[in-house]
Amino acid sequence: MIAAMTPTTTKTVIQTVDLSVAYNGKLALKAVNAQFYENTVTALIGPSGCGKSTLLRALNRLNDRIPDAVTQGKVLIDGKDIYARGVNLTRLRREVGMVFQKPNPFPMSIFENVALGPRLHYGLRGRALEEIVEDALRKAALWDEVKDDLKKKSGLALSGGQQQRLCLARMLAVQPRILLMDEPCSALNPISTQEIEELIVELGKQYTVIVVTHNLQQAARISQYTGFLM
Amino acid sequence: MRAPERAKQGERFLLLVFAMPTYTGKTMELAWEPDVSFEPQFAPYQFRLRLVRAPEGVDVEPIEIDLRQHPKGCITLPVWKAYSQEEWLKGYLFELEAIPTTSTTWATLQQFLMSDWAPTILYPRFGMLPLLLASLLITTLAILFATPLGLAAAVYLSEQASPRVREWFKPILEVLAAIPTVVLGYFGVVMITPALQKLFGEALQLSSGRGLLATALMMTVFILPTIISLSEDALRAVPNSLREGAEALGFTHAGRIRLVILPAAKSGLIAAVLLAVARVMGETMIVWILSGGTPTMPDFSSPTAALGTLVKPTRAIPDTIAIEMGNVELESPHYGYPFLLGLIIINLLGFAYRKRAQFQL
Amino acid sequence: MAVKLAHKPAEAGVDWEALVARRDALRLRKNALLTTLLVFTLLAVITYKGASTISWEFLTTPPREGMSAGGIGPMIRGSLLLMLGTFLLATPLGIFGGVCLAEYGDRSRIRRFMHASVAALAGTPPIVYGLFGLAIFVLKFQFGVSLLAGWCTLTLFSLPVIVLTTEAALKTVPEGIINGGLALGLSRWQTLWRLALPYAMPGIMTGVILSLGRAAGEAMPVLFTASIYYASTFPALSWESLRQPVANLPYYLAEGYRQPGVVPEHLIWGACLTLIVLVLLLNVGAIVIRTRARRRYL
Ligand SMILES: Nc1ncnc2c1ncn2[C@@H]1O[C@H](COP(=O)(O)OP(=O)(O)O)[C@@H](O)[C@H]1O
Ligand SMILES: [Mg+2]
């Protein structure tokens, strides 16, 4: 990774140290040293296949699921290595939320989609749960569109852009600090893209956001910092 | 010669053989039953006899008799004793040892390959050749009947039928596949055996139409859905580009199917047929109801005999298990045989499955 | 041969190719028609012969006069009892097995071996299950010929199919859903339980019901392990019944045929029709679940 980040006064939240990932012995990510700052949006840009998704998945250890992926190096979040022994994956992923390229709502009602995380993680129910769901949906700018048939409509019945915002809401409902987004707009039409972009800018004020995109203009529109992978 | 007490199979045992001095008084005639196997329970074994002790006062060289070389069942021994008149009449008892010359394994194998299955008589015989052959014949016939029919239907479905016909046909196949085999068997009893009886009953003195043919016909019905749906899957897996390529080369429809699509789907089709083989071999209820239940060696020596083999009662491996497991005595040697037959079926199936795995790649 | 004909120079006025193609098409269609005809003949004959016997009384009363009259109530009840127990035992076990195979069988060689073993078990003929059940449950565990032994044997019989369909259904769960769950911080177990299993459930239930249908019509696994032929009463159900054999439809039919003349033909046809309807109902249930689920997710 070519460090393209200007020194800053803001606090570093994530730092990768010589992070390499290999699939089947083939390096997909080679000794990446990068920093991501608190409450800013960082865009990652690079040709396809250069390892952008791999880097993102290394940050919440979703690569662990792939049997022949080997990770080396360190990822420090608040100075603590998430690849150290004894790290609680569940807690890590609660802290580091992720949105995927293709919207992946669960086949259940909109409410259930958002409520699943808080209910399982924090044991919330009733009023408290409904509040957190509403809050998350508002943050994801979806509340007004779905509030009428929250518990009846399936998440799959929404349009593409709505689905992606639902996934955002789902992620926000578990109260993460860091948001990873892997080409969140690539499966969407221009209007939905614009909505999501606005949302990202908004979220960047409260969260540490890392967005993968292959669109330079988009990176310029939404991010304070841009990293180039190649 | 006296039968020994029931010895264990494959063991040596002592026996006493009666001998008479011959007229000259210089030799003696040792006689035993001409059958190489003394008693039915030793049937698969071959023995050699060795002299253990000669009778008092008889001088004789040590002897060893290979029973196979003396089919008449007697041997003349030179002896060194003069005989008095009364000794002539009395005769002598030689003490011999019978030593099996076939190994237990070989004998067991040989026994299986013998042609009579009679497990419940006093000296039971477990020759399972007729059962095995019946199973193989039923399978062969059923596959011969079902494959062309099923394959053609599959070709029709995958190459010609409109999607609507296909949608229709799927549930029909599922229904056929879901009909319990006991119902199929009963259907065979009511529909097929009377017809066979009517056709061949007088000529062959049939008591019923049950036998190989009736079983194989019902097995055809049983296996048809499997063959059709698996073959159709195999045919549909042929890429469309091949079809279009063949069309571009100017093949006719039939030529396209015969020269391009069938060869391309070959391994899938063979796999389908092999699965059918395995299913027919293991299917019990249809055979149980339709085979007639009498172990018979197939006989194809003449057209009449062959016809008789097809329509007269027979018995295959699975129905033998079903019949005999119901009335086998626990703790008798017979008890193990249904299990052994089960093992044989599993191995036959395993063979089919292994072959299938080769073609499925 | 058709190919050769097709290359014949076209004669004036006769379109050989069209004729040949038409003939071939007809030949092929004939076979499919034959199969269809066969199915309808089978169903029609059995319905025709059995329908007149079916009545409420036939379905609910026990046989009378030494099995030669009356109904088939105990057989139906026995079959349903066998099904119920098998369903309760085999469903959780089979789903558990399928989950293990799909989730924990990552190491490819072990997984392939396990998968092949289960597939081989699924291809093992019913009679072998009967033998095994006799040797293990009836004799070794001393359950005797009993409902309990029948449950165990039928459970073994249906298990491989359930395991395989569960595994296959879990494989159809989109990767996106699993990743989504994990990215939310759900544990592997929660992802499986909350997301993957519900998604795969219609597929799994289809498999369960189909294998139950297979078990319902199969006499061989219960032949030596659970069956009794002569059943002229309705024994009261109690814990004791677990250790007692039950009458059931397939065995009744098998014996009814084997002892010709005892059970009159119309009773047998009636029982045939009942069994087929039972099995087909299960199949229809499976198809309904399948199409419903398709509609729900697509
Ligand atoms: N699960 C996987 N198994 C093997 N190779 C993979 C896997 N995922 C990604 N790769 C390889 O790693 C490289 C980087 O992939 P990825 O991170 O998806 O790139 P990007 O998101 O930048 O397009 C590619 O060459 C890809 O082929
Ligand atoms: Mg990518």
Side-chain angles (χ1 to χ4, degrees), chain B residues 6-239:
Chain B
R6 229 173 122 148
K8 276 212 180 124
Q9 292 191 338
E11 273 183 357
R12 312 170 160 217
F13 55 91
L14 283 180
L15 45 95
L16 300 171
V17 178
F18 187 67
M20 287 285 273
T22 48
Y23 185 71
T24 60
K26 289 280 196 277
T27 55
M28 213 176 257
E29 192 141 275
L30 205 59
W32 59 88
E33 282 180 35
D35 189 359
V36 283
S37 42
F38 297 115
E39 291 287 351
Q41 80 260 37
F42 297 116
Y45 291 90
Q46 307 217 309
F47 293 92
R48 152 168 81 79
L49 300 180
R50 193 173 64 82
L51 182 65
V52 178
R53 200 155 44 134
E56 195 82 3
V58 174
D59 274 338
V60 61
E61 297 233 319
I63 49 166
E64 239 186 56
I65 307 163
D66 185 349
L67 292 172
R68 274 172 301 182
Q69 280 163 19
H70 301 280
K72 282 217 306 264
C74 67
I75 189 171
T76 311
L77 303 171
V79 291
W80 292 271
K81 187 164 193 248
Y83 293 98
S84 64
Q85 194 78 17
E86 75 226 46
E87 276 167 337
W88 264 20
L89 295 175
K90 221 169 69 194
Y92 293 89
L93 280 178
F94 280 68
E95 212 169 296
L96 298 176
E97 186 185 23
I99 304 160
T101 54
T102 30
S103 74
T104 311
T105 323
W106 178 236
T108 314
L109 279 179
Q110 244 186 314
Q111 145 143 347
F112 286 157
L113 294 179
M114 289 194 323
S115 57
D116 45 351
W117 176 266
T120 47
I121 58 175
L122 182 57
Y123 293 113
R125 292 187 166 225
F126 299 103
M128 53 182 73
L129 196 57
L131 312 181
L132 185 66
L133 287 179
S135 264
L136 293 178
L137 274 174
I138 289 170
T139 311
T140 315
L141 284 179
I143 293 300
L144 279 183
F145 296 151
T147 305
L149 200 65
L151 213 54
V155 169
Y156 167 71
L157 283 183
S158 92
E159 306 300 317
Q160 288 181 351
S162 63
R164 241 187 69 226
V165 173
R166 229 178 276 151
E167 286 287 298
W168 249 98
F169 204 76
K170 271 250 151 78
I172 288 182
L173 277 188
E174 277 177 23
V175 166
L176 185 55
I179 293 179
T181 48
V182 63
V183 176
L184 285 184
Y186 194 66
F187 196 83
V189 170
V190 179
M191 296 286 148
I192 294 184
T193 53
L196 290 177
Q197 166 86 350
K198 207 178 247 171
L199 276 175
F200 307 111
E202 266 173 45
L204 296 164
Q205 284 122 36
L206 297 182
S207 58
S208 75
R210 290 176 192 170
L212 282 180
L213 191 58
T215 314
L217 283 173
M218 233 41 227
M219 282 290 188
T220 309
V221 177
F222 165 69
I223 208 60
L224 211 49
T226 309
I227 292 197
I228 296 181
S229 60
L230 288 183
S231 316
E232 203 213 332
D233 290 347
L235 289 169
R236 293 261 215 106
V238 174

Side-chain angles (χ1 to χ4, degrees), chain A residues 60 62 65 67 90 93-94 96-98 100 104-108 116 120-121 156 170-171 174, chain C residues 103 106-107 175-187 190 194-195 199 296-298:
Chain A
N60 68 350
L62 211 55
R65 228 177 94 68
T90 302
R93 287 173 187 159
R94 247 185 270 165
V96 187
M98 185 163 188
F100 298 82
N104 55 353
F106 303 137
M108 43 181 85
L116 187 69
L120 290 181
H121 292 320
L156 293 169
R170 190 175 74 188
M171 168 178 72
V174 296
Chain C
E103 283 290 304
D106 284 345
R107 310 284 154 264
E175 193 70 356
I177 288 188
I178 307 285
N179 276 334
L182 290 175
L184 276 190
L186 306 195
S187 67
Q190 285 170 326
R194 299 280 176 159
L195 298 173
Y199 187 94
R296 184 147 69 101
Y297 290 132
L298 292 185

